[in-house]
Amino acid sequence: MDWERLRIPLMLGPTLLVITVLFFGSLAFGLVQSLGFQPQIGNTTLTLDAYISVMFTGREAGQFWSGLLLTLWVAGASTFLSAALAVGLALLLRRTFFGKKLSVFLFQLNLPIPHLVIAIGMLLLFSQSGLLARFAGELGLISGPRDFPILTRDRYGIGIILAYVWKETAFFGIIVMAILQSLGDDYEAVAQSLGANRWQRFRTVTLPLIMPGLMSASIIVFAFTFGSFEVPRILGVQHPQMLPVLTLDFFLNPDLNARAEGMASSIIIALIVLALVFLYMYVSARTIRRD
Amino acid sequence: MTHLAIRGLSKVYAAQAAPAVDDLDLDIESGSLTALLGPSGCGKTTTMKMIAGLLKPTTGDILFDERSILSIPPERRGAVMVFQNHLLFPYMSIAQNVGYGLKMRRMERAEIDRQVAEMLELVRLPGMEDRRPKELSGGQQQRVALARALVVRPKILLLDEPLSNLDAHLRFEMRDLIRDIQQQMGITTVFVTHDQEEAVVLADKIALIFDGRLQQYDKPLAFYEQPSSRRIAAFFGGVNFFTGTQDGDGFTSTIGRFSVTRDGPADGGILTIRPEDVRLSEDGETNTVSGTIDSQVYVGTHARLRVTVDDHTVNVVADADVMKRYGQGDRITLQFPENKLWILPAE
């Protein structure tokens, strides 16, 4: 027996075992539950009833589709806006100026702050009874709370998007700043010396060079915002609800039969995110092959 | 063809007390190839970046054909820089890389394709249009970078250590290519190097910079025959320096008195001769000294000798045959030809 060949698999074994049991185990458990397998209440046959109920026939079927649209919109918009904002800020922060260290510190300040705190902060700041509304009232800009625009608990998820942008811009920023630092200024200097103006340099040099890192970060942020429930629970409305909140409601339902629908909803969220990740990996692999 | 003038140029970086470039004056003739030579950190790349507009001078002026270009942004200045590490855009094909500057000028696609093909032909890379940078060797990448700069017909071409990332045989090839293309196109070219041999072989004139200050601006031969300081002579391989005083046509040094035909500075205090100019003496010659051979090393085409004369060392480069006639510890007489002796300022 060639033990040398087995050495690395054996060393990786314990870690792989933990990952397999925790990840694939819980995924498999969730999957069978979504197929109605709940022996504790006597359901042992596997059916697609929960999926059909969640998407088509159940009381919440309408909520599911509007929730899916809202979730895609919120995750997409938050990811795009955070990425765009982070790129702009990172490019500004790359320059040398008085107070740069303080600016970088403030830019990254909210990284360790939990999403929950950010969501509550949003409420305190931007709701119709929040600080900004009161300030506007004190200045005489509005006559009462109702005159202040609805920025939280709105049906378009504006408050949720703002909270995610607030939080994720710092995450994107760290990645973009690290990429920009490793690239240096030389590529842009070459382009500038060859006649490219500021916008041409950004479009033809900076953006293509940071794009691989930016796309990877976008997948992480999109997957997170697509599956996260704390912020939409606090800043969202009852209808439409984002999918993770709808899923949470299924789980919190005292009727144990709703558990299968909750699991079905979770699996759908996971499948959508996985599909997008695979799509990204396929596109990146093609780009890498081409480059 | 553009005449480049640099007037009192200085650059002080915020974090440094000493200026990176200090009161630099240069006149670079149109169509010439000039080397900015000096050790690492002497300010030569900083000077080049200021010409390109990538750095702002602290004081001074840069003029193209007698017109200041400091207020012109780098993208419209017409000074194109080729960097040491090629910096081809990795996500573009070779054709896209070479045609980049033309595309930024919104030139028509067909014309770009035509000029790109012509330029790739010029740098001896025909038919490489569809390749990606990573598919090319270092030498080929450097040639693409050169083509990318040349295709926009720059007023001034700036080459930052263009040969330093190449191995020996590619260096020779690239050196010839740069020289040929520069003469063919007649573009005023400035290149930065820390390699004096490279500067001597390529440049029409060399600007030698130490610690941000211009030391000597001259034709290559002058740095060997008439260096203006001991430091410059040493940078160009000078190793024989003997202190003393000048008296009329002669110079009395620590190893003897020698006749000198070439005029040196009024405050001359150091006599120098290049090792390859020292001759083994025949009987009856003047300007001779005798000493003992300390060491002799065969270096292929010639031999290097260290001869001790009155406790001072004289370094000699001689024909390899000398090793058949002399051994370590033998007495030897050396002759310093009058026209090869040069007097440097006292330190």
Side-chain angles (χ1 to χ4, degrees):
Chain A
M1 176 66 95
D2 186 358
W3 287 104
E4 194 54 34
R5 285 179 62 193
L6 287 175
R7 197 166 62 91
I8 292 175
L10 283 173
M11 285 168 72
L12 285 171
T15 313
L16 288 175
L17 188 72
V18 171
I19 291 171
T20 309
V21 169
L22 289 182
F23 180 73
F24 289 105
S26 53
L27 195 68
F29 185 65
L31 188 66
V32 292
Q33 271 206 343
S34 73
L35 295 172
F37 184 77
Q38 289 187 91
Q40 67 273 27
I41 56 169
N43 293 343
T44 51
T45 48
L46 301 182
T47 67
L48 290 171
D49 288 353
Y51 287 92
I52 294 165
S53 167
V54 165
M55 289 191 286
F56 306 111
T57 58
R59 202 160 46 86
E60 311 290 350
Q63 276 272 47
F64 175 84
W65 293 107
S66 55
L68 177 61
L69 281 178
L70 180 68
T71 311
L72 281 168
W73 154 247
V74 167
S78 319
T79 307
F80 178 78
L81 288 174
S82 319
L85 204 58
V87 169
L89 287 170
L91 286 171
L92 281 177
L93 289 172
R94 189 171 57 155
R95 297 182 188 180
T96 307
F97 59 93
F98 177 73
K100 180 178 172 171
K101 277 188 179 174
L102 179 68
S103 305
V104 172
F105 172 73
L106 290 174
F107 182 39
Q108 297 171 347
L109 185 63
N110 65 354
L111 260 182
I113 299 172
H115 280 83
L116 199 69
V117 177
I118 295 278
I120 291 167
M122 287 292 301
L123 266 187
L124 293 174
L125 268 179
F126 294 111
S127 70
Q128 286 185 311
S129 57
L131 281 175
L132 281 182
R134 288 178 194 193
F135 193 57
E138 288 294 322
L139 289 176
L141 299 173
I142 54 173
S143 55
R146 281 179 172 278
D147 294 340
F148 194 75
I150 302 170
L151 294 176
T152 56
R153 291 186 174 148
D154 62 297
R155 55 182 291 105
Y156 301 107
I158 303 294
I160 305 169
I161 292 169
L162 282 175
Y164 280 138
V165 169
W166 189 356
K167 176 78 181 152
E168 308 308 339
T169 300
F171 172 72
F172 271 114
I174 277 195
I175 289 168
V176 176
M177 283 199 290
I179 300 171
L180 289 174
Q181 197 169 5
S182 69
L183 287 173
D185 301 333
D186 287 351
Y187 278 109
E188 285 160 275
V190 167
Q192 188 171 22
S193 150
L194 287 166
N197 61 33
R198 192 184 291 267
W199 168 244
Q200 286 173 322
R201 292 198 296 278
F202 174 73
R203 193 171 52 81
T204 61
V205 177
T206 313
L207 200 57
L209 286 171
I210 64 171
M211 196 45 100
L214 200 62
M215 284 301 287
S216 302
S218 298
I219 285 291
I220 295 169
V221 169
F222 185 88
F224 175 78
T225 47
F226 198 93
S228 170
F229 65 84
E230 311 101 302
V231 176
R233 180 77 172 189
I234 294 167
L235 295 175
V237 288
Q238 279 300 310
H239 185 85
Q241 273 185 331
M242 279 179 65
L243 280 193
V245 179
L246 193 67
T247 306
L248 182 70
D249 284 348
F250 282 125
F251 282 118
L252 295 178
N253 195 326
D255 178 4
L256 285 179
N257 285 305
R259 184 69 56 87
E261 288 169 330
M263 280 300 179
S265 184
S266 298
I267 296 287
I268 290 167
I269 291 173
L271 285 175
I272 292 170
V273 172
L274 270 176
L276 290 166
V277 169
F278 280 124
L279 179 70
Y280 162 72
M281 285 166 71
Y282 172 73
V283 172
S284 324
R286 274 190 57 181
T287 312
I288 287 165
R289 265 202 305 276
R290 205 183 61 215
D291 292 342
Chain B
M1 290 202 282
T2 305
H3 174 266
L4 169 64
I6 293 171
R7 300 277 176 259
L9 195 71
S10 295
K11 177 70 187 175
V12 183
Y13 289 109
Q16 291 173 348
V21 175
D22 190 5
D23 198 20
L24 187 68
D25 279 298
L26 270 182
D27 266 293
I28 294 174
E29 289 164 30
S30 45
S32 67
L33 181 53
T34 301
L36 296 184
L37 175 67
S40 298
C42 73
K44 50 193 190 300
T45 300
T46 300
T47 303
M48 185 168 269
K49 286 188 170 177
M50 286 192 282
I51 299 170
L54 302 172
L55 281 176
K56 279 188 181 165
T58 308
T59 57
D61 202 355
I62 299 167
L63 304 103
F64 289 180
D65 289 333
E66 306 304 324
R67 289 176 62 188
S68 174
I69 44 92
L70 288 188
S71 58
I72 302 174
E75 57 267 33
R76 289 197 276 118
R77 201 171 272 199
V80 175
M81 191 159 165
V82 176
F83 286 72
Q84 185 177 354
N85 40 357
H86 329 314
L87 294 172
L88 300 183
F89 304 124
Y91 46 88
M92 289 183 191
S93 69
I94 297 306
Q96 287 169 326
N97 263 287
V98 176
Y100 182 84
L102 301 179
K103 193 176 174 189
M104 295 304 107
R105 287 163 174 74
R106 303 183 200 288
M107 191 177 273
E108 278 185 23
R109 177 74 187 272
E111 183 56 20
I112 293 177
D113 291 347
R114 192 190 66 74
Q115 292 201 24
V116 165
E118 187 184 296
M119 209 43 72
L120 285 174
E121 190 84 39
L122 189 72
V123 297
R124 299 169 201 162
L125 289 172
M128 293 279 192
E129 283 88 343
D130 295 329
R131 300 269 188 98
R132 293 271 157 180
K134 69 174 183 183
E135 295 174 69
L136 269 52
S137 68
Q140 289 173 322
Q141 288 190 30
Q142 187 64 295
R143 278 188 272 164
V144 173
L146 187 62
R148 181 174 64 177
L150 290 169
V151 80
V152 297
R153 317 275 164 186
K155 289 179 183 166
I156 307 280
L157 178 64
L158 304 163
L159 307 172
D160 186 12
E161 305 257 8
L163 311 178
S164 64
N165 279 351
L166 307 178
D167 58 36
H169 101 273
L170 282 175
R171 268 170 179 250
F172 291 124
E173 205 178 293
M174 190 70 189
R175 207 158 70 180
D176 292 345
L177 183 77
I178 290 173
R179 184 81 234 184
D180 289 351
I181 291 175
Q182 194 273 334
Q183 285 183 346
Q184 199 176 324
M185 297 183 75
I187 296 172
T188 308
T189 303
V190 179
F191 78 100
V192 155
T193 182
H194 62 268
D195 182 339
Q196 43 99 356
E197 188 196 330
E198 198 172 292
V200 167
V201 173
L202 263 175
D204 297 316
K205 282 180 96 172
I206 297 171
L208 181 66
I209 300 171
F210 289 150
D211 309 320
R213 292 191 74 90
L214 181 68
Q215 304 294 315
Q216 189 169 343
Y217 180 46
D218 229 322
K219 290 185 174 170
L221 190 64
F223 287 88
Y224 287 90
E225 297 201 333
Q226 295 166 318
S228 53
S229 72
R230 177 177 177 153
R231 195 176 173 196
I232 295 170
F235 190 80
F236 276 82
V239 281
N240 295 319
F241 302 103
F242 312 105
T243 53
T245 50
Q246 202 168 355
D247 51 70
D249 292 341
F251 189 96
T252 305
S253 77
T254 47
I255 59 166
R257 187 177 185 285
F258 301 94
S259 301
V260 181
T261 55
R262 296 189 298 176
D263 288 338
D267 60 343
I270 299 171
L271 184 73
T272 185
I273 183 165
R274 293 194 64 82
E276 57 274 19
D277 290 335
V278 178
R279 294 176 54 240
L280 305 189
S281 177
E282 310 289 333
D283 285 341
E285 287 183 313
T286 55
N287 270 11
T288 59
V289 285
S290 293
T292 308
I293 298 175
D294 263 354
S295 67
Q296 47 182 4
V297 181
Y298 175 61
V299 287
T301 53
H302 54 268
R304 286 185 183 278
L305 275 66
R306 285 167 64 91
V307 178
T308 301
V309 178
D310 296 339
D311 293 333
H312 295 278
T313 300
V314 180
N315 291 274
V316 182
V317 172
D319 281 345
D321 280 354
V322 74
M323 295 186 75
K324 292 177 188 162
R325 289 188 281 146
Y326 297 96
Q328 194 173 346
D330 286 355
R331 293 287 296 173
I332 192 169
T333 303
L334 306 171
Q335 202 247 341
F336 293 175
E338 287 180 20
N339 61 344
K340 297 292 181 185
L341 285 164
W342 179 247
I343 297 166
L344 298 166
E347 290 180 325

